[in-house]
Amino acid sequence: MAIVEALESTDDRRRLQVRSPASLEPIGDFTCATATEVQVAVAKARRAQQAWAARPIGERADLLWSLVDQFVKRQDDIVDSVLAETGKARSEAIGMEVFSPCDAISYYAKNGPKILATQKRKLHGVMRLSKTLRIVYQPLGVVGLITPWNGPIVLAATPLAQALIAGNAVVHKPSEVTPLSALVLKSLTEDAGFPDDLYQVVQGDGATGAALLEAGVDKVSFTGSVATGRKVAEVCARQLLPFTLELGGKDAMIVCADADLDRAAEGAVLGSCMNTGHYCCGTERIYVVESIYDEFVERVVARVKALRQGDRDEFDVGAVFWDRQLSIIESHMEDAVQKGARVLAGGRRNPDLKGLFFEPTVVTEVDHDMDVMTKETFGPIVSIKKVADEEEAIRMANESEYGLNGTVWTSDTERGIEIASRIHTGGVCVNDMTITYGIPEAPFGGRKSSGFGQVNGPEGLRGYCHAQPIIADRRGKGKIQGGYPYTRKNEDGMQKFIRMLFGTRVGRWMS
Ligand code: NAD
């Protein structure tokens, strides 16, 4: 049964119905915005943005704090809507969709004004005698925000807070799988007192997303799959639009011989199964050195078998959010088993539950000729491979078209950091599952097929601005040096000056 289905429509606008992946019952429907409606939203956003950008950044920060207040006050509304749409575990809805956005929005409310304050930058050499430089962070205008279904609130609220504090307006196209959570986020911004039209939600599927890219926005912030990311990049490139792409991953975990095995096993299970494995930085392949392999696998299997899955009051692993993802998970498992992988736990759709549930799974004897070790599975699968040593683990971790994040587990933190720096990936965590996106100070973004550009942190925040250099002459009067008329005398003087400045020790010290 499809989670998102077309309904009959009385006019030429498309209507989609959404079901809960846990109960399979319909939970809502919506009308896809037409291309014209998307254009109108962008035009309204542009008008709202001009007044917004003119407000002092302190006032913009105050409104972000009001948004945090709404998150705190309306936690249950957020959790209820996320649970209805995704069937994820309640702890995950609270941690990922309430705590993380609150933390990120607070960070930008508190630090945004400092990060975006006009900077005076000292000039080098002789130029400093006559010029001053200021960098002014100007908003770009209207940001087109396109988000996926695996973190419907956090993946929208985090870029939203950055775009808004920087003085932009946002038109948001949420995933067609999780349209309701976006409406909750919109109502939080309304209750927080944000101006009308500053943040708008346009509902729809890929066609609506494609329309947003063509609707005259000034920047695109996209999170989603590699396949869609490539299309977004092409459309943005044609229009010379700045964009960031946060895409899929196949994160590697390296377990060194000296790792704390209990902690590493816990990290493997949580990293692979959290959010039903629908975590862009989820652990998708684990390389374990030979000497501790058996002990590690035993600990992982025991933990996975103890996981509670379901739609009851308390459970650990929830539903697969979308039937399309379930098909991918099933096909990767089938491919692995057919090529000789061993399933030590789970390995199939849960026969006891009505909804879309795939059992938490442990699979070993896996290799790089299998989809489960090379393509993004995005399911609750712990895939473990034995390697001779850490060197082989690093080599295998780097043997991937993806490079989003990864983890290293060892008792020697410094060595862990050294290994981490040799992994060709966007970020790495040592002795923890990947929490990079949850650390607002850290720039976040993938390498290779996992993305383009970075979000979060000072770098990501400034990405919502144009850094405008303003250079002023200290004197501002009299003749401009080096100006007309050009004379042989001045040219000789200039050449002498070049010899002195760049050709002598004293000159180089001054330059
Ligand atoms: P998706 O690419 O199918 O869809 C993402 C969004 O793009 C949706 O809103 C969709 O409607 C829209 N879209 C589809 N076609 C479009 C088009 N032609 N033009 C514009 N928009 C279009 O991805 P998904 O299945 O929703 O999300 C899962 C993927 O997202 C996974 O690969 C996951 O790893 C990735 N992801 C990455 C990060 C990260 O930060 N790197 C975070 C979360 C998820």
Side-chain angles (χ1 to χ4, degrees):
M1 181 181 288
I3 291 297
V4 182
E5 247 173 352
L7 290 175
E8 275 202 17
S9 170
T10 49
D11 54 24
D12 58 352
R13 296 175 348 140
R14 291 176 307 119
R15 288 191 64 71
L16 300 177
Q17 181 189 62
V18 186
R19 290 173 189 276
S20 152
S23 68
L24 302 184
E25 298 300 328
I27 51 169
D29 53 69
F30 61 92
T31 303
C32 297
T34 63
T36 308
E37 286 167 338
V38 176
Q39 280 167 10
V40 169
V42 172
K44 287 202 276 184
R46 188 168 301 292
R47 283 194 290 275
Q49 188 267 334
Q50 280 158 9
W52 177 245
R55 287 168 77 163
I57 193 164
E59 278 183 28
R60 305 202 296 254
D62 288 344
L63 275 155
L64 285 192
W65 283 119
S66 303
L67 182 58
V68 175
D69 290 338
Q70 293 302 319
F71 264 85
V72 173
K73 196 165 127 196
R74 294 186 49 199
Q75 290 192 44
D76 289 336
D77 293 349
I78 299 167
V79 169
D80 290 348
S81 119
V82 167
L83 292 186
E85 283 181 327
T86 66
K88 65 169 78 175
R90 192 175 161 77
S91 297
E92 290 162 356
I94 296 169
M96 220 173 138
E97 312 284 6
V98 181
F99 175 84
S100 276
C102 281
D103 192 48
I105 301 166
S106 302
Y107 171 82
Y108 294 109
K110 199 183 282 179
N111 297 287
K114 271 177 271 165
I115 296 169
L116 298 178
T118 296
Q119 280 181 358
K120 280 188 188 168
R121 198 175 283 180
K122 271 194 182 160
L123 298 187
H124 80 293
V126 288
M127 281 294 185
R128 74 172 163 255
L129 302 176
S130 58
K131 316 281 179 214
T132 62
L133 168 64
R134 281 175 180 71
I135 311 284
V136 177
Y137 291 97
Q138 294 179 325
L140 295 173
V142 181
V143 174
L145 174 63
I146 301 178
T147 55
W149 44 264
N150 62 320
I153 298 281
V154 66
L155 295 171
T158 308
L160 177 68
Q162 294 172 61
L164 292 183
I165 187 88
N168 301 285
V170 173
V171 177
H172 175 201
K173 209 299 284 176
S175 169
E176 57 273 39
V177 184
T178 53
L180 308 178
S181 297
L183 296 182
V184 174
L185 179 59
K186 165 87 178 125
S187 80
L188 297 181
T189 61
E190 283 165 1
D191 292 351
F194 280 89
D196 291 347
D197 299 333
L198 188 69
Y199 169 51
Q200 294 170 71
V201 175
V202 288
Q203 298 285 11
D205 52 15
T208 318
L212 179 56
L213 301 177
E214 304 275 5
V217 294
D218 302 291
K219 168 168 176 143
V220 172
S221 171
F222 175 83
T223 307
S225 64
V226 175
T228 312
R230 283 190 208 284
K231 291 185 201 163
V232 171
E234 281 175 18
V235 177
C236 290
R238 173 167 46 76
Q239 300 176 79
L240 300 181
L241 271 183
F243 60 93
T244 53
L245 303 177
E246 296 304 325
L247 309 179
K250 191 75 194 168
D251 285 3
M253 167 173 182
I254 295 179
V255 188
C256 301
D258 64 349
D260 173 335
L261 287 190
D262 279 321
R263 187 174 169 90
E266 195 185 329
V269 177
L270 193 59
S272 304
C273 298
M274 196 199 85
N275 214 39
T276 323
H278 308 323
Y279 178 35
C280 54
C281 304
T283 299
E284 292 249 340
R285 50 202 175 106
I286 305 178
Y287 302 101
V288 185
V289 299
E290 213 166 4
S291 56
I292 46 139
Y293 176 82
D294 290 339
E295 236 185 300
F296 176 79
V297 171
E298 197 182 301
R299 288 171 202 223
V300 167
V301 171
R303 281 174 168 79
V304 167
K305 286 190 171 162
L307 291 174
R308 299 157 303 165
Q309 184 168 46
D311 45 11
R312 55 190 132 160
D313 193 36
E314 263 189 11
F315 61 87
D316 305 306
V317 179
V320 169
F321 302 0
W322 199 8
D323 46 301
R324 287 200 198 166
Q325 200 61 46
L326 183 60
S327 308
I328 295 172
I329 299 166
E330 285 178 328
S331 90
H332 285 195
M333 279 308 297
E334 230 176 87
D335 171 75
V337 169
Q338 196 227 322
K339 289 176 178 158
R342 277 187 70 202
V343 178
L344 303 184
R348 57 179 185 167
R349 191 168 167 175
N350 191 322
D352 303 326
L353 296 169
K354 180 178 163 205
L356 308 181
F357 290 89
F358 197 89
E359 290 180 343
T361 295
V362 181
V363 61
T364 59
E365 313 300 321
V366 286
D367 219 330
H368 283 197
D369 63 342
M370 298 175 187
D371 290 347
V372 82
M373 291 296 277
T374 50
K375 298 182 180 164
E376 189 182 48
T377 308
F378 226 48
I381 316 292
V382 193
S383 304
I384 313 177
K385 178 164 177 54
K386 191 193 290 182
V387 289
D389 51 26
E390 285 83 0
E391 285 305 313
E392 188 180 10
I394 296 169
R395 187 174 57 72
M396 295 212 126
N398 285 335
E399 216 177 83
S400 173
E401 65 159 301
Y402 296 98
L404 191 54
N405 268 267
T407 62
V408 180
W409 303 75
T410 163
S411 301
D412 181 346
T413 307
E414 282 311 309
R415 183 155 170 265
I417 292 170
E418 190 266 324
I419 291 174
S421 69
R422 293 171 61 197
I423 306 178
H424 305 154
T425 185
V428 186
C429 293
V430 176
N431 292 325
D432 206 341
M433 57 169 288
T434 301
I435 50 162
T436 319
Y437 196 84
I439 305 284
E441 287 81 357
F444 180 93
R447 292 176 67 181
K448 302 191 260 184
S449 292
S450 288
F452 185 85
Q454 288 179 310
V455 296
N456 301 351
E459 295 85 349
L461 178 56
R462 288 181 181 140
Y464 286 96
C465 298
H466 173 72
Q468 184 192 42
I470 299 183
I471 297 147
D473 191 84
R474 287 186 189 279
R475 287 187 311 141
K477 56 186 180 186
K479 194 173 164 349
I480 294 180
Q481 213 170 3
Y484 301 134
Y486 296 150
T487 63
R488 184 48 60 91
K489 188 174 162 220
N490 285 350
E491 286 159 7
D492 288 346
M494 191 65 185
Q495 286 189 307
K496 251 192 217 156
F497 185 61
I498 291 170
R499 279 195 291 277
M500 188 281 290
L501 192 61
F502 302 112
T504 67
R505 275 176 147 231
V506 179
R508 285 183 188 183
W509 175 76
M510 281 170 59
S511 66

